[in-house]
Amino acid sequence: MLYSDEHQQFRALVRRYVDEKINPRVDEWERTETMPLHEIFAEMAKLGMLGLEYDPAYGGQGADHLFTMVLCQELGRVAHGSFPMALGVQVAMATPSLHAHGSEELKQEYLTPAMRGEMVCGVAVTEPEAGSDVAGIRTHARRDGDDWVISGSKMFITNAVHADWLCVLVRTSAEGGYHGISQIIVPTDTAGFRVDRKLDKLGMRASDTGLLTFDEVRVPVRNTIGEIGRGFQQQMSQFVMERMFAAYSVPITCAMELRLTRDYARQRTLFGQPLSANQYLQYTYAELAARVDMLRVYTETTARAYADGDDVTRMATIAKLEAARLGRQVADWCLQVHGGMGYMEENWTARAYRDSRLLSIGGGADEVMLRVLSMMDGFTG
């Protein structure tokens, strides 16, 4: 048995919260292109949904990894991709390094309020000239006594507008490549930091994504997470958690979309018979449904392996790659089956189509996942 009674009780709690507190507000958030993250995160923290695997001393729940799996699965039922992504940044992208490597002082000052929902956070890695090639970042910090002085820019940063602090990847020495890179916490009210603009995206419309500038931003050296110069390695580990979190929800989202499309095809009449009588559509549905089941089993196996302490870098990479591809294919097929109505913004298919596209880009593009896997297998030039 993968899930205990406690896991299932938690599932019921999250599902009820999604049904009562999240989904009824999604259309409003999409129209206004924003979400009240401080309000929602604070509510979720009170219900024990934040920091599931983190030490209770820092506002965490001290739970096992399968609780994270359950949370992600239920987030897959949210009626858009924006909120799950924003929450994922808070609990699985901006904070893992801080929890694993941060000083006691940093954890108390930044991790604890984030896990209580009192602060919103983000992770700033991507730059205008360095996305998939993380080692190519140019944002740099020079040391001035007990301070870092940071200059540069970051691009496509989720939660940028709402964030109270950012986990920023910067170059802290003149060494090239992945050497001499550090993770530094930057409060967003620090002089010299600004969100230049909120970016206008194809999908994830309710999530704020920003272009950031660091103009001689001064923060204490003690804001460095872990060891100076080890930021690249820490960020790679943080990416593993990010990719698992992103992949875990996809099978549930896809299954829901397929079920809705199946119901539509049964009701829609074409050429005198239900659309569901079309054998091509039947077989395509069956193939996609089978792949969704396989992905669900694979992601649950990945979660179990991680909970057992195994190195799941390869599994997380595969899960993220396949989840991104399958999510796109399912959303595209569902829209196609709905025809012209599927292309209308009033139908759920349009939003699902737009939102599904990001996972093949963010958190490491499909091509980066393929490169990682080929390198792990020694298939290199």
Side-chain angles (χ1 to χ4, degrees), residues 82-109:
S82 296
F83 181 76
M85 181 171 68
L87 180 63
V89 169
Q90 183 88 355
V91 301
M93 303 178 197
T95 53
S97 284
L98 177 56
H99 183 261
H101 306 288
S103 66
E104 179 68 20
E105 185 178 12
L106 282 183
K107 290 177 183 177
Q108 293 292 352
E109 188 172 356

Side-chain angles (χ1 to χ4, degrees), residues 191-264:
F193 171 83
R194 66 178 183 270
V195 179
D196 280 333
R197 61 188 175 98
K198 179 182 175 183
L199 302 174
D200 188 13
K201 309 184 298 297
L202 169 69
M204 304 294 191
R205 303 290 297 181
S207 171
D208 59 295
T209 306
L211 171 63
L212 314 180
T213 292
F214 299 81
D215 183 10
E216 297 282 290
V217 174
R218 184 178 291 269
V219 297
V221 172
R222 64 177 176 81
N223 278 25
T224 306
I225 298 175
E227 182 181 343
I228 295 174
R230 291 285 298 175
F232 180 88
Q233 293 81 357
Q234 292 171 190
Q235 184 58 51
M236 290 303 104
S237 178
Q238 194 160 252
F239 276 150
V240 172
M241 179 56 68
E242 174 181 348
R243 289 162 186 168
M244 288 192 294
F245 194 97
Y248 287 169
S249 65
V250 172
I252 281 67
T253 300
C254 288
M256 180 175 63
E257 292 170 355
L258 288 174
R259 184 170 58 253
L260 291 171
T261 302
R262 177 203 63 194
D263 293 345
Y264 173 81

Side-chain angles (χ1 to χ4, degrees), residues 45-324:
K46 290 177 181 177
L47 293 171
M49 296 183 193
L50 300 193
L52 290 173
E53 300 174 62
Y54 292 169
D55 191 327
Y58 312 113
Q61 307 303 318
D64 65 59
H65 184 66
L66 295 182
F67 279 92
T68 297
M69 179 69 170
V70 169
L71 174 67
C72 293
Q73 288 178 330
E74 293 307 311
L75 288 175
R77 300 175 62 256
V78 174
H80 69 167
S82 296
F83 181 76
M85 181 171 68
L87 180 63
V89 169
Q90 183 88 355
V91 301
M93 303 178 197
T95 53
S97 284
L98 177 56
H99 183 261
H101 306 288
S103 66
E104 179 68 20
E105 185 178 12
L106 282 183
K107 290 177 183 177
Q108 293 292 352
E109 188 172 356
Y110 296 104
L111 181 61
T112 299
M115 293 307 100
R116 289 176 178 168
E118 298 164 359
M119 286 185 170
V120 172
C121 54
V123 59
V125 176
T126 302
E127 299 181 2
E129 302 298 326
S132 297
D133 180 14
V134 176
I137 65 168
R138 298 180 181 178
T139 298
H140 61 278
R142 60 178 174 83
R143 188 158 183 171
D144 182 17
D146 292 330
D147 291 340
W148 291 119
V149 180
I150 304 171
S151 296
S153 62
K154 295 291 182 178
M155 187 79 162
F156 309 132
I157 307 306
T158 302
N159 293 354
V161 175
H162 290 86
D164 298 290
W165 60 266
L166 298 167
C167 171
V168 186
L169 197 68
V170 300
R171 192 166 294 283
T172 49
S173 78
E175 298 175 85
Y178 60 82
H179 300 287
I181 294 176
S182 304
Q183 290 177 314
I184 301 173
I185 291 181
V186 177
T188 56
D189 61 358
T190 306
F193 171 83
R194 66 178 183 270
V195 179
D196 280 333
R197 61 188 175 98
K198 179 182 175 183
L199 302 174
D200 188 13
K201 309 184 298 297
L202 169 69
M204 304 294 191
R205 303 290 297 181
S207 171
D208 59 295
T209 306
L211 171 63
L212 314 180
T213 292
F214 299 81
D215 183 10
E216 297 282 290
V217 174
R218 184 178 291 269
V219 297
V221 172
R222 64 177 176 81
N223 278 25
T224 306
I225 298 175
E227 182 181 343
I228 295 174
R230 291 285 298 175
F232 180 88
Q233 293 81 357
Q234 292 171 190
Q235 184 58 51
M236 290 303 104
S237 178
Q238 194 160 252
F239 276 150
V240 172
M241 179 56 68
E242 174 181 348
R243 289 162 186 168
M244 288 192 294
F245 194 97
Y248 287 169
S249 65
V250 172
I252 281 67
T253 300
C254 288
M256 180 175 63
E257 292 170 355
L258 288 174
R259 184 170 58 253
L260 291 171
T261 302
R262 177 203 63 194
D263 293 345
Y264 173 81
R266 286 172 172 173
Q267 299 167 7
R268 178 77 165 94
T269 300
L270 188 66
F271 302 123
Q273 61 182 354
L275 196 58
S276 59
N278 183 295
Q279 191 176 67
Y280 175 75
L281 295 183
Q282 293 172 357
Y283 288 3
T284 305
Y285 168 86
E287 182 177 355
L288 290 172
R291 290 176 58 196
V292 168
D293 274 5
M294 292 176 68
L295 180 62
R296 177 184 56 78
V297 172
Y298 191 83
T299 53
E300 290 182 333
T301 301
T302 302
R304 178 75 270 174
Y306 182 84
D308 289 342
D310 296 343
D311 181 356
V312 297
T313 302
R314 179 184 176 82
M315 297 181 74
T317 303
I318 293 172
K320 198 270 187 186
L321 172 67
E322 292 302 307

